[in-house]
């Protein structure tokens, strides 16, 4: 079972510093008079979390309901009426690029501070930032890693160039002549998996080489180093929805391949230091920080009380939102119980509900700071809304009701290997046709005017 090091206390503090540093200059003083009138004493107290693929777009094609939906979400000055965060398991770019894409697609301004990619929480994993890390994925992976704080980065292409004899599956890419000795790269301390790569055979081979040689792929592997060096993976989506009529392979499928190959070769389970992205609790915890910062920029003085997560994938968006809702409910319940017993402010580790911390065997570790003052500002809950424009299909068979029944002839569990299946977490709070209906439903639930 995987052991995930999620440093909530340090993460909250560092997250606040990151949000402050990444601010694009908005402040409560800059809020328009229109927005100030809108947010009177009875202003809304909720935030929206949007998935992107299958909710707002299909590949590069916008879903028609998305544009109208977002035109209604901003006032005549282009200011958002409520905090909006885009929470996607995509990770092949930096936030600025994704924000520009969304701005073009939705025809409203989207700030990088509103975008959360699958790898965004790696900003708080500072214990790895000065380590030599191998990164796998596609797109500007070196820029992405450096933007997240990693200072000593090796890409798969750099590794392949240093050790050209390692990548020989494709006959056309094999070295044609005698290979000159190359300068050894530094010992690799950890492996970061951002997303699905282009050449799976190359990435699978070289990552396994690194794991089998304890970070020294140029050496022969004499004995199995186990546990292996840390592996941190972003985006567990097995499938995702593009323009094709059927879902496409996601990074979760690449992880299945890597796990199977490693176990077939070594007889041991591949272990993850962290699994990041939906449906992990740390992803929604980080998204809530972004919502909180936006609420402050909008001039809200009261905490955001409720979150609504809109997605198309039951095993990523819905499972994650419901798991985070369970975490929130249990945290508030535990805090109330401790304070009722005269215990004052409970310790951080006492606030992590067992059912949330245990998802996928997840161990939550603090860094010795028992204060958790931000716990008083946690939302009351997080509701999940499933749309029918992406992975989910109303005609699909229901997920298995027995947690042990993961694979049968008719029912298949698409969640990650290390997440214990809880069928109740796949059940959305609401099911609607598209994102416009989802937003209209939220405003109705909250008793607010959308237009």
């Amino acid at each position: 079972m995987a052991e995930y090091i999620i440093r909530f206390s340090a993460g909250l503090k560092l997250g606040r510093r990151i949000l402050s540093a990444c601010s694009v200059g908005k402040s409560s003083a800059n809020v328009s008079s229109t927005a100030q009138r809108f947010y009177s004493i009875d202003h809304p107290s909720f935030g929206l979390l949007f998935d992107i693929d299958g909710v707002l777009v299909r590949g590069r094609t916008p879903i028609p309901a998305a544009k109208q939906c977002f035109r209604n979400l901003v006032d005549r000055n282009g200011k958002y009426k409520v905090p909006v965060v885009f929470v996607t398991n995509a990770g092949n770019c930096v936030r600025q690029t994704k924000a520009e894409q969304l701005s073009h697609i939705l025809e409203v301004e989207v700030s990088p501070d509103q975008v959360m990619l699958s790898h965004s929480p790696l900003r708080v994993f500072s214990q790895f930032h000065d380590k030599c890390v191998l990164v796998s994925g596609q797109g500007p992976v070196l820029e992405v890693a450096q933007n997240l704080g990693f200072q000593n980065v090796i890409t798969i292409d750099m590794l392949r160039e240093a050790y050209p004899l390692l990548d020989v599956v494709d006959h056309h890419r094999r070295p044609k002549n005698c290979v000159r000795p190359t300068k050894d790269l530094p010992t690799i301390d950890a492996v970061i998996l951002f997303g699905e790569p282009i050449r799976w055979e190359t990435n699978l081979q070289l990552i396994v080489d690194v794991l089998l040689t304890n970070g020294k792929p140029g050496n022969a592997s004499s004995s199995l180093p186990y546990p292996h060096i840390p592996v941190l993976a972003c985006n567990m989506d097995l499938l995702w929805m593009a323009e094709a009529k059927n879902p496409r392979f996601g990074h979760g499928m690449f992880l299945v391949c890597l796990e199977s190959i490693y176990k077939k070769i070594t007889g041991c389970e591949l272990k993850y230091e962290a699994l990041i992205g939906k449906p992990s609790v740390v992803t929604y915890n980080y998204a809530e920080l972004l919502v909180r910062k936006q609420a402050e920029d909008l001039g809200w003085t009261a905490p955001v009380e409720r979150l609504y997560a809109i997605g198309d994938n039951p095993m990523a968006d819905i499972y994650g939102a419901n798991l985070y809702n369970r975490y929130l409910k249990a945290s508030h319940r535990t805090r109330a119980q401790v304070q009722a017993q005269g215990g004052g402010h409970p310790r951080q580790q006492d606030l992590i509900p067992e059912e949330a911390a245990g998802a996928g065997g997840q161990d939550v570790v603090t860094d010795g700071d028992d204060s958790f003052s931000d716990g008083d500002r946690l939302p009351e809950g997080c509701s999940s809304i499933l749309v029918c424009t992406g992975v989910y299909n109303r005609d699909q068979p229901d997920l298995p009701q027995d947690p042990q029944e993961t694979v049968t002839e008719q029912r298949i569990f698409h969640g990650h290997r290390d997440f214990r299946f809880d069928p109740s977490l796949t059940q959305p709070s609401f099911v609607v046709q598209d994102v416009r209906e989802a937003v209209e439903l939220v405003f109705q639930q909250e008793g607010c005017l959308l237009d």
Side-chain angles (χ1 to χ4, degrees):
M1 190 64 70
E3 297 178 358
Y4 311 140
I5 301 177
I6 308 299
R7 300 183 177 275
F8 275 92
S9 180
L12 286 168
K13 293 179 178 179
L14 184 56
R16 288 195 298 272
R17 293 200 297 272
I18 291 168
L19 293 174
S20 177
C22 295
S23 175
V24 294
K26 289 187 261 185
S27 67
S28 58
N30 294 329
V31 177
S32 68
S33 59
T34 301
Q36 289 174 346
R37 287 196 301 271
F38 186 87
Y39 299 121
S40 60
I41 297 177
D42 297 323
H43 72 68
S45 58
F46 64 93
L48 297 172
L49 306 179
F50 289 92
D51 180 39
I52 297 176
D53 292 301
V55 175
L56 305 178
V57 298
R58 291 276 295 268
R60 297 181 180 180
T61 305
I63 291 174
K67 286 186 180 181
Q68 183 59 50
C69 166
F70 274 83
R71 278 197 289 266
N72 292 337
L73 275 175
V74 297
D75 63 20
R76 62 185 61 184
N77 295 316
K79 299 290 185 180
Y80 285 85
K81 298 175 181 178
V82 296
V84 168
V85 173
F86 301 90
V87 185
T88 175
N89 268 351
N92 59 350
C93 63
V94 295
R95 292 191 303 166
Q96 178 67 40
T97 301
K98 183 62 70 174
E100 291 173 355
Q101 293 172 355
L102 288 170
S103 297
H104 176 72
I105 291 171
L106 301 175
E107 298 179 354
V108 297
E109 182 181 354
V110 176
S111 162
D113 294 336
Q114 293 177 276
V115 176
M116 181 172 173
L117 303 172
S118 62
H119 50 61
S120 294
L122 286 176
R123 291 173 180 271
V124 304
F125 283 71
S126 56
Q127 67 270 33
F128 292 101
H129 287 176
D130 60 350
K131 304 290 186 182
C132 180
V133 298
L134 173 68
V135 296
S136 168
Q138 60 179 286
V141 290
L142 182 60
E143 180 186 2
V144 168
Q146 293 171 342
N147 184 264
L148 291 168
F150 295 97
Q151 304 165 21
N152 192 359
V153 181
I154 295 175
T155 67
I156 292 291
D157 286 340
M158 293 166 60
L159 187 62
R160 180 178 176 274
E161 182 179 351
Y163 306 109
L165 294 178
L166 298 183
D167 182 22
V168 296
V169 172
D170 186 342
H171 289 237
H172 295 290
R173 302 210 323 161
R174 290 183 181 181
K176 300 297 188 297
N177 303 312
C178 180
V179 178
R180 297 179 180 179
T182 57
K183 183 179 179 180
D184 287 340
L185 294 174
T187 299
I188 295 170
D189 299 310
V191 178
I192 312 291
L193 308 176
F194 284 139
E196 60 270 20
I198 300 296
R199 288 183 170 270
W200 286 31
E201 81 282 0
T202 296
N203 288 60
L204 290 169
Q205 176 70 76
L206 270 59
I207 292 170
V208 171
D209 285 336
V210 168
L211 298 179
L212 295 181
T213 59
N214 211 29
K216 301 176 181 179
N219 295 358
S221 56
S222 53
S223 60
L224 176 65
Y226 197 79
H228 50 70
I229 63 174
V231 177
L232 295 84
C234 311
N235 182 358
M236 295 165 273
D237 285 354
L238 190 75
L239 301 168
W240 67 287
M241 204 68 187
E243 288 97 340
K245 294 182 179 180
N246 294 313
R248 303 294 85 196
F249 291 168
H251 191 221
M253 197 71 76
F254 179 82
L255 299 182
V256 170
C257 295
L258 179 62
E259 294 156 9
S260 300
I261 292 171
Y262 185 83
K263 185 169 184 179
K264 190 71 173 180
I265 292 176
T266 67
C268 301
E269 295 282 356
L270 179 73
K271 291 182 175 291
Y272 294 96
E273 187 81 6
L275 283 170
I276 305 167
K278 297 177 290 188
S280 67
V281 169
V282 70
T283 292
Y284 289 85
N285 192 250
Y286 194 88
E288 187 269 328
L289 282 172
L290 298 178
V291 168
R292 187 185 304 177
K293 180 63 167 59
Q294 283 187 54
E296 293 173 356
D297 290 343
L298 288 170
W300 292 16
T301 56
V304 174
E305 296 179 2
R306 289 168 298 281
L307 295 176
Y308 293 88
I310 303 169
D312 70 305
N313 191 329
M315 276 311 310
D317 307 309
I318 304 306
Y319 199 101
N322 289 341
L323 184 63
Y324 187 57
N325 182 64
R326 180 177 292 182
Y327 159 77
L328 292 173
K329 298 295 186 183
S331 295
H332 285 299
R333 186 167 60 248
T334 302
R335 174 177 292 278
Q337 291 173 348
V338 172
Q339 292 179 342
Q341 296 170 0
H345 288 284
R347 298 177 304 166
Q348 163 69 15
Q349 54 264 42
D350 293 334
L351 288 173
I352 306 300
E354 180 180 356
E355 59 267 39
Q362 184 174 6
D363 290 331
V364 181
V365 181
T366 66
D367 59 352
D369 186 353
D370 287 339
S371 65
F372 193 55
S373 59
D374 282 26
D376 290 327
R377 302 181 61 192
L378 285 174
E380 296 173 359
C382 179
S383 297
S384 57
I385 305 178
L386 181 62
V387 300
C388 304
T389 52
V391 170
Y392 175 73
N393 187 325
R394 292 182 189 268
D395 297 329
Q396 290 175 334
D398 293 334
L399 288 162
Q401 295 303 306
D402 183 354
Q404 303 302 319
E405 183 189 0
T406 56
V407 178
T408 67
E409 291 183 0
Q410 296 180 334
R411 294 172 176 174
I412 301 176
F413 172 55
H414 286 173
H416 188 269
R417 175 199 71 181
D418 292 343
F419 273 69
R420 291 194 295 267
F421 178 60
D422 183 341
S424 67
L425 294 178
T426 65
Q427 303 304 314
S429 306
F430 307 95
V431 179
V432 297
Q433 180 57 37
D434 55 36
V435 65
R436 182 178 178 181
E437 287 189 17
V439 171
E440 290 174 349
L441 172 68
V442 170
F443 275 73
Q444 290 172 4
Q445 290 288 120
E446 293 290 330
C448 298
L449 293 177
L450 180 58
D451 296 320

